[in-house]
Amino acid sequence: MSLMNTLTKLALGYAAARGVDKLSKGQGLAGLLGGGAQLKGSEPGTAEQAQAAKALTGPAANPMQNIMSQIQQGGLGALFKDQGGLMAMAGSVMGAAGVSGMIDKANAAAAQPQTEEAAHLMLRAMIQAARADGHIDEAERKRIIDTVGEDAPPEDLATLRALLDAPSDPEALARDTPEPLRAQVYGAALLTITVDTDEEAEFLDRLGKAMELPEIAINQIHMQMGLQPLYH
C-alpha cells in the first residue's frame, strides 16, 4: 500500500506547512477558529452551530496537535475513528439529528483496511484543494514532490504528477467516492488549505454539496480539524 504512505507524507507536509503547532500552542480554539472565509448557510441549524462554535474557546483545547499525532500514528483514516473531541462536542451542543449516521459510516470506513483506492481519492482531494485558487505554481508543485520524496515508488510519483496535471473537478471526485468515504475525502481536502479566501470556501462548498454532506456535518468536520465552521 505504497500510495497510502505517499498520502500520509503529503498530509503531514501540508499540516507542518500550515504551522499548526505554532498556531495552536497556548491559544486553544480561540486562536484556531478566528479569521478565515465563510459562506452563508442555507440549511437549518448552521447559523446556530457557528454561533455555538465561538463559545468553544477552552485553553486546553488543541485539536490540530491531536490531528498531527493521529496522522502519524494511523494515517488520515484515524481522524474519523474517535467520535470525541470537537465533532462530538458540536453534535452534543446542537443536537445534530441525522449527522450521527454519517459519522458512524465514516468511522466504519476508517476501521476498514486503508486501500490504495481510498488513498488515491484522498490524494485527488488534496491536490484539487491546493488548486482551489485557480492553479498550482511551480514552487508549490516542487514542494509537493519534495515532500513525498524523489525516492518514493516510481508508480506513486507518476500518480502524483498525473493528479497535479489534471483539472480540478470536485463533482467528478464526489461521483467516484463511495458514500462511507466521503467525510474522509472531504477532510483530506480541508487539510490542504486554510480556508482564508473566497475561492477556497467556494471549492469546499462545491465539494461538500457534490458529496451530499449536510452543512452541519461539514461544519463539524471543520471544527474537528481546528478551523471555524464553513457555514454561518
Side-chain angles (χ1 to χ4, degrees):
M1 294 188 180
S2 61
L3 202 57
M4 186 58 72
N5 293 333
T6 295
L7 171 68
T8 301
K9 285 182 182 179
L10 192 58
L12 287 169
Y14 267 112
R18 282 171 54 179
V20 292
D21 284 343
K22 293 181 180 178
L23 178 65
S24 59
K25 190 172 296 181
Q27 297 182 34
L29 289 182
L32 290 166
L33 294 178
Q38 287 185 297
L39 301 172
K40 184 67 175 176
S42 61
E43 298 175 8
T46 53
E48 293 84 354
Q49 183 188 41
Q51 186 63 33
K54 295 180 180 179
L56 303 179
T57 57
N62 196 344
M64 292 306 292
Q65 278 190 338
N66 292 337
I67 285 173
M68 291 281 283
S69 175
Q70 289 174 21
I71 294 174
Q72 288 173 321
Q73 294 175 19
L76 286 182
L79 294 180
F80 298 88
K81 288 183 180 179
D82 183 9
Q83 292 191 38
L86 297 180
M87 182 172 279
M89 188 185 303
S92 175
V93 171
M94 296 306 303
V99 176
S100 60
M102 187 209 71
I103 297 173
D104 288 342
K105 290 178 181 178
N107 290 339
Q112 296 171 357
Q114 294 179 321
T115 65
E116 294 292 86
E117 177 187 6
H120 188 269
L121 289 168
M122 287 189 276
L123 278 171
R124 281 176 65 185
M126 293 177 72
I127 298 302
Q128 289 195 27
R131 194 184 284 110
D133 61 356
H135 68 284
I136 295 179
D137 60 28
E138 286 303 314
E140 185 168 12
R141 184 185 180 100
K142 182 178 185 303
R143 183 166 61 250
I144 290 170
I145 298 297
D146 288 347
T147 297
V148 172
E150 292 288 352
D151 58 344
E155 61 271 22
D156 286 12
L157 289 174
T159 296
L160 189 58
R161 290 190 173 102
L163 292 176
L164 287 167
D165 292 335
S168 181
D169 190 344
E171 289 76 21
L173 174 60
R175 287 194 298 272
D176 292 342
T177 303
E179 185 179 356
L181 288 175
R182 288 177 180 175
Q184 291 187 60
V185 172
Y186 182 94
L190 184 56
L191 187 65
T192 310
I193 52 182
T194 54
V195 203
D196 56 3
T197 68
D198 291 341
E199 290 84 1
E200 290 175 342
E202 289 163 4
F203 168 82
L204 291 171
D205 178 60
R206 283 180 61 190
L207 180 61
K209 292 291 197 297
M211 293 276 193
E212 299 183 345
L213 297 173
E215 289 179 357
I216 199 166
I218 290 171
N219 277 355
Q220 287 179 332
I221 295 172
H222 281 240
M223 293 164 67
Q224 184 190 21
M225 297 183 71
L227 297 169
Q228 69 177 4
L230 179 64
Y231 302 102
H232 65 91

